[in-house]
Amino acid sequence: MKTILLKNRPKGRPSVSDFEFVENDSPLEIKDGELLLETAYVSVDPYLRGKMNDTKSYTPPFELDKPVHSMIVAKVIASKHKKYNNGDYLAGMLDWKTQQISDGEGLTKVDSEKAPLSSYLGILGLTGLTAYLGLTEIGKPKKGETLVVSGAAGAVGSVVGQIGKILGLRVIGIAGSDEKVELLKSKFGFDEGINYNTTEDMKAAIAKAAPNGVDIYFDNVGGPISDAVLFNINQFARFVVCGAISVYNNTELPKSVSVQPFLVRNSALMQGFIIFNYQAKYPEALKQLSAWLAEGKLTHSETVVEGFDNIPQAFIDLFDGKNKGKMVVKI
Amino acid sequence: MKTILLKNRPKGRPSVSDFEFVENDSPLEIKDGELLLETAYVSVDPYLRGKMNDTKSYTPPFELDKPVHSMIVAKVIASKHKKYNNGDYLAGMLDWKTQQISDGEGLTKVDSEKAPLSSYLGILGLTGLTAYLGLTEIGKPKKGETLVVSGAAGAVGSVVGQIGKILGLRVIGIAGSDEKVELLKSKFGFDEGINYNTTEDMKAAIAKAAPNGVDIYFDNVGGPISDAVLFNINQFARFVVCGAISVYNNTELPKSVSVQPFLVRNSALMQGFIIFNYQAKYPEALKQLSAWLAEGKLTHSETVVEGFDNIPQAFIDLFDGKNKGKMVVKI
């Protein structure tokens, strides 16, 4: 049985040496009401970086020398729990361990017949929920409006764009390579794509792609890309601030264009979005996402890395944008 | 009859030479349905600075070589209008002229018996409406929460703080002199005041004054003061972004601490507030403000400058914080 612990709080960009692998060969024994789980798929996500710092946030930080946890799909390999049986697959927040014991609290049974197991970490998991609820609850889209998505080829971004199209928006994606921009248009149906790595004047490029201005900005990245969007917003624009991957690794406090004058001038709204505040809406959202998936209106893209030992590197690769769509590790 | 025109679009801080005085002695003749108005009180407000730039905003910019306008209380000195008579006082958006003709459109009759005329430019005008509706509509205060107000000794800020106290909040005001801070506590009933000009570590000072963290920030200033508040916000904090006087005169685009990571971590909201979007709520708000005023629960403070020729200087003095409370010019 292997476990991955957080060894150091990363300074800036995380490295593999911030994590420690521990092996333990004594067999795990379950008691009444418990399950023995074998990890099948591990989700690695940008938000985990925030939890590696020792700062106040919406969830407590990871503890040093304790296992890291994230969303995981695991198989029940022994059960003394009345609800779950051997061979069931469960999804939930679990430790980065090859095997672990759980009392089932906070876990949900998933159906491997209905959708691939990994999709419960992606389009039918927090990724899809974040995209759908962030866009609808804060973005409040109205048909005909213009939506800009940053990190558009990422897990959440690619779903946001597709939902935007389903809801009748003009959708512009910002991503970091020509290949990703091409994918946005050919695979995910975005109207326009902008490669921020090769575009000198982002402000002008957004203005060109959004001739009617920007009504909704689904922000996964923060930093200079988000600054450029500010110049193009319409009256009553809504910023869904879902992530700020571009600054998560900054050791100095990042500075940006002051947003306040733009917000005042445009009566605009900027709101931080944390999926965990919307749990009451999960069932309704999953119903809608499953329906669209079944109708073939949503496609999802995954980068699957193989092997438990590669979890830390897969996490680190997120910050280089090495993933297309959801990054998962198959054990 | 004198008129004040905008002569130049100010670069940075406005100066008196950006305005031009024009005199015209030919008498004004009114037609059927028109009024001849004599200006009594002129409101000068920070937001006018934005309209002096040639940039897209919520209202069109002032035109060069045309009269500047703002909220004014004027006396009817001749009337061919069926609604208004000689001697009536009307409030509304009017030109910076000693006398002018109007068709009455957009003007409201005010009662000099009920409240001093200048109060219709302040606590019973846009100032009071901005304070009340900004705080309630975006701030959504709940009893026991902590409110921080910047520009707290200013026209809007001093009313926001008082309403905060009426609604059961802990209220902390930020202002630019010890005298103003003293006034916040002695006259307006704030719980705490911070002088940003003599406080080295604003972040720590706010933390000390707000031991339970900041739930609502009513922001009149933007810039470094607002940055310092960011570090002290609670989960689900609301920022009412009402103004950004600290950066209105910047010629270079101001940079601040990136707000996005704070908004995400705290599921916080930041929204630009423009009073003109809330016109439907004016009657209800004015009813409440008048009631509190009559009950002696609200006091208001004015800086009254005398003389039409001093309007531009009074406006410029706002940026040095020379006003305490609402700045008005009495003609």
Side-chain angles (χ1 to χ4, degrees), chain A residues 114-322:
Chain A
K114 270 201 183 160
L117 283 175
S118 59
S119 67
Y120 295 100
L121 299 179
I123 192 126
L124 297 179
L126 289 185
T127 304
L129 288 168
T130 298
Y132 179 78
L133 291 171
L135 183 60
T136 54
E137 294 289 316
I138 297 180
K140 296 194 170 42
K142 289 188 280 288
K143 202 174 164 173
E145 288 189 323
T146 297
L147 165 68
V148 171
V149 186
S150 63
V156 171
S158 60
V159 181
V160 171
Q162 292 179 80
I163 298 176
K165 288 309 299 176
I166 294 173
L167 299 178
L169 308 178
R170 174 171 177 81
V171 180
I172 298 146
I174 302 174
S177 75
D178 286 344
E179 195 197 344
K180 285 182 179 178
V181 165
E182 182 47 40
L183 209 64
L184 293 181
K185 294 194 271 187
S186 60
K187 182 167 178 184
F188 299 117
F190 284 55
D191 296 293
E192 290 287 344
I194 302 171
N195 176 353
Y196 67 84
N197 275 317
T198 56
T199 302
E200 211 143 292
D201 186 346
M202 280 298 291
K203 187 175 149 183
I206 295 165
K208 196 180 156 201
N212 298 323
V214 177
D215 300 295
I216 308 173
Y217 175 46
F218 197 106
D219 188 2
N220 290 302
V221 304
I225 293 174
S226 300
D227 291 353
V229 175
L230 269 180
F231 290 90
N232 290 289
I233 59 173
N234 288 334
Q235 286 291 305
F236 307 111
R238 288 85 69 198
F239 281 61
V240 186
V241 188
C242 184
I245 197 172
S246 75
V247 300
Y248 283 163
N249 289 332
N250 287 29
T251 45
E252 290 190 17
L253 208 63
K255 293 252 175 175
S256 303
V257 170
S258 284
V259 301
Q260 287 90 342
F262 291 92
L263 297 184
V264 178
R265 272 207 292 278
N266 297 288
S267 301
L269 176 147
M270 195 176 253
Q271 190 169 359
F273 178 80
I274 299 289
I275 186 65
F276 306 111
N277 296 326
Y278 294 83
Q279 303 203 18
K281 309 239 169 183
Y282 287 6
E284 169 206 329
L286 286 173
K287 201 175 145 192
Q288 180 63 80
L289 289 165
S290 303
W292 283 335
L293 200 61
E295 292 166 28
K297 288 187 178 169
L298 280 182
T299 85
H300 59 301
S301 147
E302 281 177 348
T303 299
V304 182
V305 170
E306 304 230 349
F308 185 83
D309 294 355
N310 293 320
I311 296 174
Q313 187 60 53
F315 166 66
I316 294 163
D317 284 348
L318 289 171
F319 299 94
D320 293 325
K322 291 202 179 161

Side-chain angles (χ1 to χ4, degrees), chain A residues 55-58 219 222 226-227 231-236 241-244 247-248 253-274 277, chain B residues 55-58 219 222 226-227 231-236 241-244 247-248 253-274 277:
Chain A
T55 46
K56 181 178 125 178
S57 189
Y58 51 95
D219 188 2
S226 300
D227 291 353
F231 290 90
N232 290 289
I233 59 173
N234 288 334
Q235 286 291 305
F236 307 111
V241 188
C242 184
V247 300
Y248 283 163
L253 208 63
K255 293 252 175 175
S256 303
V257 170
S258 284
V259 301
Q260 287 90 342
F262 291 92
L263 297 184
V264 178
R265 272 207 292 278
N266 297 288
S267 301
L269 176 147
M270 195 176 253
Q271 190 169 359
F273 178 80
I274 299 289
N277 296 326
Chain B
T55 48
K56 180 178 122 176
S57 189
Y58 52 94
D219 188 2
S226 300
D227 291 355
F231 288 89
N232 291 289
I233 59 173
N234 288 333
Q235 287 289 305
F236 307 111
V241 188
C242 183
V247 300
Y248 283 164
L253 208 61
K255 293 251 174 176
S256 302
V257 170
S258 284
V259 300
Q260 288 89 344
F262 291 91
L263 297 184
V264 177
R265 272 207 293 278
N266 297 288
S267 302
L269 176 146
M270 194 175 253
Q271 189 168 357
F273 178 80
I274 300 288
N277 296 325

